[in-house]
Amino acid sequence: MGRDSNNQASGIDAQLVQRVRRNQWTGAIVNLAPSAFWLGVFFLAPLAVMFFFSFGERGAFGEVLLAAENLGLQQYRRFFIPEDTSILVALWATVAWLIKTVVPGIETLSATQPTPYVRLLFKSIGYGSLATVVSFAVGYPMAYYIGHIAPERYQNLLIVLVILPFWASFLVRIYAIQLLLSANSVLMSALAVLPFVEQGASLMYSQFAVLLGLVYIWIPFMILPVYSSIEEIDFTLQEAAMDLGADRFEAFYHVIFPQSKPGVMAGSVLVFIPSAGAYVIPELLGGTDSQMIGNFIASQFGSAGNWPLGAAGAFVLMGVMLLSIAAYQRGGGELG
């Protein structure tokens, strides 16, 4: 009797297992539950708290005031709009400042200056854009060589050399750049023989050092997607274009480069986003005039003790990142 009961229970369990396996929703829930829990607890929940904080105010002792009378857009207004001005005046002041920055010799178009936070944001966007352009200029030829010119037996070795810096700690690589650019380094001693380089000069704590650090750290994220695109190109199309009268440059520009564009776009996004939001690189390599929006956000959560303003700055930066991703997808890119 007991054996029959056990067999019946086993049969019911087997049927239940079969039903669970056949139900696609159950399988999806089982597979996604661990990652969904992790993202919910350690990403979405803190993000929601920080978003709520961005509408609060800083108290007299650094506490976050979240009562009904304290909630509002005051932190975002403080970020974008100078005191005693309107949105339109702030917008024109920002446009005039950008024109003055791009064309230094032009006459000042607005008596009002944008907020220091807006200037810092555009400065960070400028660093990210410049790092992306330099990474493309250096990384595309490398990716092209690895994907098309290099012998096939050496391609894997070259890819390993590209990703080799990732085997070392992020901070170790930054400290290596510090040693390279310091006054007593081998590089600076070699450059000292040039007439326009002073003896004992150092490139540390400069905008050049920050840009060099950004490019050095993130250039593999440009090379790898471009290499992946170039590897899939049928180069007989280039030969066909040259047979039809195009020279080598025209064949490359009109046939090869458009086919590698998805890799270029993916690499540009992957370089721009971490470069514009960098914190450690400008902190360790840059001087007081090389600070970026990431340093401002960190200081608000740290020494300044103004969490609402820091949270607002973080979400403004996040908006810039989302806009760059939207532009990438609109251009036909796929993040997957």
Side-chain angles (χ1 to χ4, degrees), residues 136 140-141 143-145 147-149 225-242 246-264:
F136 168 75
Y140 192 96
Y144 185 86
Y145 176 81
H148 177 57
I149 299 176
V226 174
Y227 161 77
S228 179
S229 293
I230 290 177
E231 192 181 28
E232 298 177 358
I233 295 176
D234 183 4
F235 279 88
T236 58
L237 297 175
Q238 183 182 26
E239 297 175 3
M242 296 176 66
D247 59 32
R248 185 173 295 276
F249 175 78
E250 290 176 336
F252 168 80
Y253 183 76
H254 293 289
V255 177
I256 300 303
F257 182 75
Q259 295 186 73
S260 65
K261 185 179 176 181
V264 173

Side-chain angles (χ1 to χ4, degrees), residues 58-75:
R58 179 184 184 274
F61 301 99
E63 71 275 17
V64 180
L65 304 178
L66 297 173
E69 62 272 14
N70 302 119
L71 296 178
L73 297 174
Q74 59 271 11
Q75 301 303 332

Side-chain angles (χ1 to χ4, degrees), residues 170-191 200-205 208-209 212-213 216 284-285:
F170 185 92
L171 287 176
V172 169
R173 286 179 280 162
I174 299 300
Y175 290 144
I177 297 178
Q178 284 186 333
L179 293 175
L180 186 66
L181 300 181
S182 61
N184 298 323
S185 67
V186 175
L187 174 63
M188 297 309 301
S189 298
L191 292 177
S202 171
L203 292 176
M204 274 295 298
Y205 308 117
F208 173 80
L212 178 64
Y216 168 68
L284 296 180
L285 298 179

Side-chain angles (χ1 to χ4, degrees), residues 33-293:
S35 57
F37 173 79
W38 185 270
L39 288 174
V41 172
F42 296 104
F43 177 70
L44 294 179
L47 198 65
V49 172
M50 190 169 68
F51 183 69
F52 189 49
F53 279 5
S54 70
F55 296 100
E57 288 185 347
R58 179 184 184 274
F61 301 99
E63 71 275 17
V64 180
L65 304 178
L66 297 173
E69 62 272 14
N70 302 119
L71 296 178
L73 297 174
Q74 59 271 11
Q75 301 303 332
Y76 293 96
R77 178 179 176 83
R78 180 181 176 187
F79 191 97
F80 286 107
I81 305 175
E83 293 185 8
D84 302 325
T85 58
S86 64
I87 296 178
L88 292 178
V89 171
L91 181 61
W92 172 244
T94 302
V95 173
W97 176 79
L98 288 174
I99 295 174
K100 179 70 174 178
T101 302
V102 175
V103 188
I106 196 172
E107 184 179 352
T108 303
L109 301 176
S110 174
T112 304
Q113 287 285 321
T115 65
Y117 317 120
V118 169
R119 283 178 278 172
L120 198 59
L121 176 64
F122 277 102
K123 182 179 180 181
S124 301
I125 294 174
Y127 268 119
S129 301
L130 191 56
T132 302
V133 171
V134 175
S135 296
F136 168 75
V138 176
Y140 192 96
M142 294 177 63
Y144 185 86
Y145 176 81
I146 297 173
H148 177 57
I149 299 176
E152 188 174 352
R153 64 180 181 274
Y154 294 133
Q155 287 183 357
N156 290 335
L157 174 61
L158 294 173
I159 290 297
V160 170
L161 293 178
V162 169
I163 64 175
L164 188 63
F166 288 109
W167 297 4
S169 168
F170 185 92
L171 287 176
V172 169
R173 286 179 280 162
I174 299 300
Y175 290 144
I177 297 178
Q178 284 186 333
L179 293 175
L180 186 66
L181 300 181
S182 61
N184 298 323
S185 67
V186 175
L187 174 63
M188 297 309 301
S189 298
L191 292 177
V193 300
L194 300 175
F196 53 84
V197 178
E198 297 181 3
Q199 189 72 28
S202 171
L203 292 176
M204 274 295 298
Y205 308 117
S206 64
Q207 296 181 357
F208 173 80
V210 174
L211 180 61
L212 178 64
L214 293 174
V215 173
Y216 168 68
I217 293 296
W218 304 120
I219 194 172
F221 288 98
M222 177 65 75
I223 296 174
L224 295 177
V226 174
Y227 161 77
S228 179
S229 293
I230 290 177
E231 192 181 28
E232 298 177 358
I233 295 176
D234 183 4
F235 279 88
T236 58
L237 297 175
Q238 183 182 26
E239 297 175 3
M242 296 176 66
D243 290 340
L244 293 174
D247 59 32
R248 185 173 295 276
F249 175 78
E250 290 176 336
F252 168 80
Y253 183 76
H254 293 289
V255 177
I256 300 303
F257 182 75
Q259 295 186 73
S260 65
K261 185 179 176 181
V264 173
M265 295 177 64
S268 298
V269 172
L270 293 174
V271 172
F272 173 78
I273 288 179
S275 296
Y279 162 71
V280 175
I281 293 175
E283 185 73 15
L284 296 180
L285 298 179
T288 55
D289 61 340
S290 303
Q291 298 298 289
M292 297 170 61
I293 189 68

